[in-house]
Amino acid sequence: MHNKYVIYVNNQAISVSKEIYTEYWKSIEHERYLTKLIRKTWIYLDHLFDEYESNTLEYKLIQDKNPTRNEAYKMDKYEALHNAIKQLTEDEMDLIISLYFDGFNQTEYAKYIGKSQQTISKNHKKILKKLKKLINS
């Protein structure tokens, strides 16, 4: 039986040899491992604070010309986000890290863990709501 090995580049399936496929996933796993080591200090999910499309944290900070207050506000929000992320389950953290830091899209992540894209989408929305609630409470 001949297995077909495929990796996704820019949302396009590319057929590769078994060796390339294996090395590709080794590198992905290594990146995931490194990301897990630093996820307690590296945070960039500012769209959880307000409506993402037009009111990002940076946009609000630009409007306020007082740099001391800006930095204090930004640090408070990042601290709140950090604390909220620490309250997620391991699976929830993995999904957030994969989508926001590892460069996976929902479809790629779903294939990687063996679930449907719809399940990942539902879980993603649920986690974002959970984070927003934790941050705003």
Side-chain angles (χ1 to χ4, degrees):
M1 182 171 145
H2 182 266
N3 290 331
K4 183 177 179 182
Y5 296 95
V6 176
I7 61 174
Y8 289 84
V9 178
N10 295 327
N11 293 323
Q12 292 188 345
I14 308 290
S15 294
V16 296
S17 67
K18 180 179 180 180
E19 293 79 19
I20 290 174
Y21 181 84
T22 302
E23 289 302 315
Y24 172 79
W25 283 107
K26 280 183 186 177
S27 71
I28 295 293
E29 286 298 319
H30 183 68
E31 286 180 33
R32 288 176 57 81
Y33 168 76
L34 293 175
T35 301
K36 283 181 180 183
L37 290 178
I38 62 171
R39 75 172 151 203
K40 292 181 180 172
T41 57
W42 182 27
I43 300 171
Y44 181 75
L45 296 174
D46 66 349
H47 67 278
L48 295 173
F49 302 126
D50 293 297
E51 294 301 319
Y52 178 61
E53 296 298 327
S54 62
N55 294 319
T56 65
L57 179 59
E58 284 80 9
Y59 179 74
K60 286 192 143 201
L61 293 176
I62 289 169
Q63 291 178 337
D64 185 350
K65 303 295 186 214
N66 182 335
T68 304
R69 187 169 53 206
N70 287 346
E71 288 304 312
Y73 177 76
K74 187 175 182 179
M75 293 308 295
D76 286 346
K77 287 298 187 178
Y78 281 137
E79 184 177 344
L81 176 59
H82 181 136
N83 291 334
I85 288 174
K86 289 193 309 188
Q87 294 180 51
L88 297 177
T89 67
E90 190 69 27
D91 288 341
E92 290 170 335
M93 281 188 196
D94 285 344
L95 188 143
I96 294 298
I97 296 299
S98 294
L99 296 181
Y100 290 93
F101 301 109
D102 291 346
F104 280 84
N105 63 37
Q106 290 182 0
T107 303
E108 292 168 337
Y109 185 71
K111 287 180 183 178
Y112 178 70
I113 66 168
K115 294 187 177 180
S116 72
Q117 185 274 329
Q118 292 83 2
T119 299
I120 298 305
S121 179
K122 287 177 187 176
N123 290 345
H124 181 226
K125 287 178 185 176
K126 180 180 165 188
I127 294 167
L128 291 181
K129 284 181 184 178
K130 180 178 180 179
L131 284 171
K132 196 168 191 173
K133 183 178 178 183
L134 288 168
I135 289 168
N136 293 323
S137 62

